[in-house]
Amino acid sequence: MRSWRENAVDRGPKGLTILEVLIGVAVLAVLAVLIVPNANTAIHERTLKSTAEELVEDLNQARLEAASRGGISRLCPSSNGQTCRMNDDWHMGWVVFLDGNADGQVQEFELIDSMEITEPHIDIEVIGAINTAASFTLSGLSTPGKDEHRANEN
């Protein structure tokens, strides 16, 4: 008696032809062209949103640190995470520090937090009272940054 395998019809060679492989590669290429730009846009939007959220969190942290530590805390633009920039260029990052000696400069022991922006396509434009810096007092209220104090005194 013959087994079922022996009775099976020979169906020819198994595998894919070159034409079938090329069609599969072409379909994958079309899908990649459609998906990759959308993924890049989604990544850029997520990076932008997380940077904005980080700035809001650091503003809140500066306010809370001033109230809890009983001093003046500041948030200012920074290009190195250690010193304040004296302009309104926030696109490289910022620092949060407790300004214990009220000089508007960051000493290492005063540093609370810093944010360095490495994404070259993010541009932060700050308008209003915190154009060059944000300062918070013991009551948690915002006061003008160091540059605004000088402008108001003149």
Side-chain angles (χ1 to χ4, degrees):
M1 191 175 218
R2 296 178 72 174
S3 72
W4 66 273
R5 287 186 186 181
E6 293 172 348
N7 289 333
V9 178
D10 184 21
R11 296 186 182 158
K14 296 191 176 19
L16 299 172
T17 66
I18 189 78
L19 181 61
E20 291 169 328
V21 170
L22 289 175
I23 290 172
V25 169
V27 168
L28 287 175
V30 169
L31 289 175
V33 167
L34 294 174
I35 292 172
V36 169
N38 291 336
N40 287 339
T41 300
I43 290 169
H44 179 69
E45 287 175 357
R46 180 64 200 140
T47 303
L48 183 61
K49 183 177 180 183
S50 67
T51 302
E53 289 171 350
E54 182 72 25
L55 181 57
V56 170
E57 287 174 15
D58 283 346
L59 279 166
N60 285 328
Q61 182 180 15
R63 185 179 56 82
L64 290 172
E65 290 291 337
S68 65
R69 295 188 187 195
I72 296 174
S73 65
R74 299 186 192 278
L75 182 135
C76 61
S78 176
S79 58
N80 60 11
Q82 298 293 318
T83 59
C84 288
R85 294 177 62 94
M86 293 302 148
N87 59 21
D88 61 352
D89 189 2
W90 293 80
H91 82 278
M92 298 177 84
W94 55 84
V95 293
V96 178
F97 65 102
L98 190 66
D99 196 8
N101 57 5
D103 66 350
Q105 300 299 315
V106 185
Q107 277 77 41
E108 187 175 342
F109 63 90
E110 296 177 325
L111 187 64
I112 297 170
D113 194 13
S114 65
M115 171 69 176
E116 181 181 351
I117 299 175
T118 56
E119 176 67 36
H121 304 292
I122 293 180
D123 188 23
I124 298 174
E125 184 177 340
V126 180
I127 300 170
I130 65 167
N131 195 17
T132 57
S135 300
F136 296 92
T137 63
L138 172 62
S139 64
L141 297 175
S142 177
T143 62
K146 186 170 177 61
D147 289 342
E148 286 84 358
H149 277 300
R150 277 191 237 125
N152 290 338
E153 290 173 358
N154 294 333

